[in-house]
């Protein structure tokens, strides 16, 4: 493709940003761009940013500064900022960083080609509206598509109405909105035609999904999962991320009855102290969360739980922190993401007295040590079991392949005759620092 312009996208933050970056690359493909994996020869650089914690946002400004020599050398280079920092601080980015030609918020990605055209006239472009048209429908590219790897993300729901006191998402991604089921199913079939075997449904509050069904009434996430289950060639379904209060009965039941729905659930709790949960505006208690997990485990006993935790939220005492440690002890997470509370301007908790950084750091270390202990024990307990593995790519050693188990652990198999996209039964023989190793039991029928 001689003459094509080159687009370099750098993605920060969550999986939804990964999905959005793919959509933006496709949209810019229609505008004559091909993707490149280095900023050095790019005609356009796009940072797809994350605003969830302070450090994430600061990284964007320092990264932008690093592009100055490139822009000095090639004044035609266009630099754009997308994502949640763009949404929250669009005007400030324009003021603070004259290098930036374009700012586009997550709800306006379908307008990216027009905005890029605007920058070609020498103007700067800013779009952080919340338009009502269907962004994903408008982002759809027509014509044949290249084949792709065996796993894909698919956004089904965006935004959040929960307003946890620490969180910027309801402000940057807007109100909860679900895509119509038929559009999601079309996109899933197309992904499967392109070689995808596993789809992770994405949403900031994915289990609150309530998109229009083909016959008019709203579908729940479970209903959508069952419709995806019927697609031949699609082997695995996952979803993330969920709020405990939206874990509906039909979704819990699907974990027990839908064979394609993987035994893994990311269900953030944030804290184990009712006092702090109330101040966080989480609208659930530690007890209600634990009872919920009991019900989920009754439906699917081997489910692997994953969670998010915030330590050092305003007013968190040592007793509150101990309550979080107790909850962790009871649930025994296979994975967890833990963070020191970070003040986000414009959120209710930002106005409150903040804890010392040292206290936060100490609690984070203690919490992470406990989680790591459980994570290790759970991973080690896979040795001797035979698990389904979806192979994704060759490993570092000759003949080796790497895939993911049903529980999302990386699994290495030596002398493996299979290809990316193959699903097989693997007997786990070893548990390493970050992955498992095993041998093929049967190359099919996982
Ligand atoms: N400070 C620290 N962690 C946060 N998260 C969201 N907002 C903040 C904040 N202000 C964490 C929560 C959420 C995850 C995506 O990020 O744990 O579940
Ligand atoms: Fe943020 Fe999740 Fe709370 Fe929504 S439910 S406000 S996305 S932490």
């Amino acid at each position: 493709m001689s003459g094509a312009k080159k687009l370099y996208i750098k993605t920060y933050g969550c999986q939804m940003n990964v999905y959005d970056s793919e959509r933006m690359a496709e949209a810019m493909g229609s505008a004559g761009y091909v993707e490149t994996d280095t900023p050095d020869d790019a005609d356009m650089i796009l940072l797809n940013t994350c605003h969830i914690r302070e450090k994430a946002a600061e990284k964007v400004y320092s990264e932008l500064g690093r592009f100055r020599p490139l822009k000095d050398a090639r004044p035609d280079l266009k630099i754009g900022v997308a994502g949640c920092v763009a949404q929250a601080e669009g005007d400030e980015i324009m003021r603070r960083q004259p290098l930036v030609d374009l700012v586009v918020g997550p709800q306006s990605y379908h307008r990216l080609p027009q905005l890029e055209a605007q920058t070609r006239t020498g103007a700067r472009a800013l779009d952080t509206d919340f338009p009502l048209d269907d962004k994903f429908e408008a982002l759809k590219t027509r014509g044949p598509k290249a084949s792709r790897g065996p796993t894909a993300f698919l956004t089904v729901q965006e935004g959040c109405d929960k307003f946890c006191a620490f969180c910027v998402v309801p402000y940057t991604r807007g109100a909860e909105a679900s895509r119509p089921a038929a559009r999601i199913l079309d996109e899933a079939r197309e992904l499967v035609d392109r070689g995808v075997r596993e789809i992770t449904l994405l949403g900031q509050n994915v289990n609150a999904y309530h998109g229009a069904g083909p016959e008019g009434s709203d579908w729940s996430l479970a209903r959508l999962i069952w419709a995806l289950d019927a697609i031949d060639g699609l082997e695995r379904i996952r979803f993330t991320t969920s709020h405990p209060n939206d874990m509906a009965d039909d979704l819990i039941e699907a974990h027990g009855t839908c064979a394609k729905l993987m035994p893994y659930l990311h269900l953030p709790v944030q804290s184990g102290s009712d006092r702090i949960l109330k101040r966080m505006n989480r609208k659930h208690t530690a007890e209600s969360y634990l009872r919920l997990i009991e019900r989920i485990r009754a439906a699917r006993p081997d489910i692997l739980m994953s969670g998010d935790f915030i330590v050092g939220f305003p007013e968190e005492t040592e007793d509150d922190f101990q309550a979080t440690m107790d909850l962790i002890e009871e649930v025994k997470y296979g994975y967890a993401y833990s963070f020191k509370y970070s003040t986000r301007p414009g959120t209710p908790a930002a106005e409150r007295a903040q804890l010392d950084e040292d206290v936060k750091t100490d609690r984070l270390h203690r919490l992470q040590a406990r989680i790591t202990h459980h994570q290790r024990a759970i991973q080690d307990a896979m040795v001797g079991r035979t698990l389904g593995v979806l192979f994704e790519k060759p490993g570092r050693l000759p003949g080796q392949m790497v895939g993911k188990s049903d529980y999302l652990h990386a699994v290495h198999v030596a002398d493996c005759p299979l290809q990316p996209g193959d699903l097989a039964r693997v007997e786990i023989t070893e548990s390493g620092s970050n992955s498992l190793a095993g041998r093929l039991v049967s190359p099919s029928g996982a």
Side-chain angles (χ1 to χ4, degrees):
M1 258 183 106
S2 68
K5 288 179 280 186
K6 292 191 178 144
L7 170 67
Y8 171 72
I9 304 186
K10 181 159 180 175
T11 306
Y12 299 82
C14 65
Q15 291 120 327
M16 193 173 285
N17 269 6
V18 175
Y19 176 84
D20 287 343
S21 289
E22 287 175 11
R23 298 289 80 68
M24 286 193 277
E26 284 177 10
M28 292 303 282
S30 322
Y33 278 85
V34 292
E35 255 194 293
T36 172
D37 54 13
T38 159
D40 299 331
D41 64 350
D43 297 284
M44 181 171 181
I45 294 173
L46 198 56
L47 298 184
N48 192 3
T49 62
C50 173
H51 200 240
I52 197 93
R53 284 168 292 275
E54 195 177 351
K55 274 200 185 125
E58 274 311 313
K59 258 197 242 160
V60 175
Y61 287 103
S62 61
E63 183 79 31
L64 283 170
R66 278 205 285 275
F67 294 138
R68 179 173 298 283
L70 288 175
K71 183 102 174 175
D72 286 345
R74 286 183 292 119
D76 277 350
L77 168 67
K78 300 298 175 202
I79 296 182
V81 181
C84 294
V85 180
Q87 187 62 46
E89 300 184 5
D91 293 319
E92 198 187 335
I93 294 170
M94 285 294 201
R95 246 196 330 269
R96 213 169 126 175
Q97 194 38 280
L99 284 178
V100 172
D101 300 286
L102 180 159
V103 167
V104 60
Q107 302 311 323
S108 305
Y109 290 159
H110 51 304
R111 297 185 182 158
L112 192 55
Q114 288 109 287
L115 296 169
E116 187 268 349
Q118 200 176 319
T119 67
R120 297 272 148 213
T121 69
R124 298 174 93 195
L126 175 114
D127 191 340
T128 49
D129 291 348
F130 282 89
L132 289 173
D133 40 337
D134 185 335
K135 165 179 72 170
F136 293 113
E137 195 53 16
L139 273 170
K140 236 163 84 177
T141 49
R142 321 280 156 189
K145 308 234 173 54
S147 68
R148 48 169 300 159
T151 64
F153 296 126
L154 202 175
T155 293
V156 303
Q157 178 278 339
E158 215 178 337
C160 180
D161 296 338
K162 294 281 189 294
F163 290 92
C164 297
F166 49 81
C167 186
V168 288
V169 166
Y171 312 96
T172 55
R173 291 275 173 171
E176 251 175 35
S178 298
R179 297 177 66 193
R183 303 245 168 89
I184 295 166
L185 294 170
D186 282 350
E187 194 170 325
R189 281 188 211 99
E190 191 194 279
L191 287 168
V192 170
D193 287 346
R194 293 168 68 189
V196 169
R197 297 288 164 263
E198 172 179 311
I199 291 180
T200 302
L201 306 174
L202 297 181
Q204 268 94 27
N205 239 319
V206 72
N207 57 345
Y209 176 82
H210 56 94
E215 73 292 332
S217 63
D218 276 6
W219 278 16
S220 65
L221 185 65
R223 183 87 178 75
L224 181 67
I225 287 170
W226 279 112
L228 288 161
D229 178 77
I231 298 178
D232 278 345
L234 180 62
E235 308 287 356
R236 287 173 155 187
I237 303 165
R238 304 181 187 276
F239 61 89
T240 195
T241 182
S242 298
H243 191 284
N245 291 5
D246 291 316
M247 228 31 232
D249 291 348
D250 60 349
L251 188 56
I252 296 177
E253 198 184 315
H255 271 291
T257 49
C258 179
K260 290 185 184 178
L261 186 58
M262 291 293 102
Y264 179 102
L265 181 63
H266 184 65
L267 196 63
V269 66
Q270 316 295 358
S271 168
S273 154
D274 288 344
R275 211 175 66 85
I276 295 299
L277 286 169
K278 200 164 174 58
R279 282 168 173 68
M280 285 179 165
N281 193 31
R282 286 289 294 179
K283 303 185 185 89
H284 62 77
T285 62
E287 185 62 20
S288 69
Y289 178 83
L290 290 169
R291 297 295 78 84
L292 174 62
I293 291 185
E294 249 170 34
R295 287 173 55 221
I296 297 164
R297 283 187 168 148
R300 181 78 202 221
D302 65 333
I303 202 157
L304 191 145
M305 293 304 304
S306 158
D308 287 344
F309 296 91
I310 295 177
V311 298
F313 188 75
E315 295 176 50
E316 186 188 70
T317 63
E318 180 60 25
D319 280 353
D320 293 319
F321 175 69
Q322 276 310 324
T324 304
M325 295 291 270
D326 292 346
L327 181 140
I328 288 170
E329 212 52 53
E330 192 157 343
V331 175
K332 296 189 173 56
Y333 292 88
Y335 294 89
Y337 304 84
S338 47
F339 314 96
K340 290 192 259 187
Y341 170 68
S342 163
T343 344
R344 305 314 290 127
T347 60
E351 312 295 323
R352 305 176 194 163
Q354 304 295 315
L355 264 60
D356 276 357
E357 199 57 26
D358 293 352
V359 173
K360 292 186 193 177
T361 306
D362 172 62
R363 288 181 188 164
L364 185 69
H365 288 160
R366 284 149 68 200
L367 183 144
Q368 286 179 338
R370 217 43 222 157
I371 300 259
T372 306
H373 172 81
H374 293 144
Q375 198 169 331
R376 241 315 2 121
I378 291 168
Q379 191 191 300
D380 291 350
M382 297 288 163
V383 175
R385 289 183 61 186
T386 298
L387 308 177
V389 173
L390 175 64
F391 288 95
E392 291 180 12
K393 57 183 184 204
R396 260 179 286 148
L397 305 175
Q400 190 189 48
M401 289 289 290
V402 193
K404 293 272 170 61
S405 80
D406 296 347
Y407 306 101
L408 221 49
H409 291 114
V411 180
H412 290 81
V413 174
D415 301 320
C416 182
L418 302 181
Q419 301 297 313
D422 287 341
L423 200 57
R425 306 282 304 165
V426 173
E427 187 193 329
I428 305 300
T429 52
E430 255 178 79
S431 174
S433 54
N434 278 316
S435 65
L436 298 165
R439 60 177 187 84
L440 287 184
V441 174
S442 79
S444 62

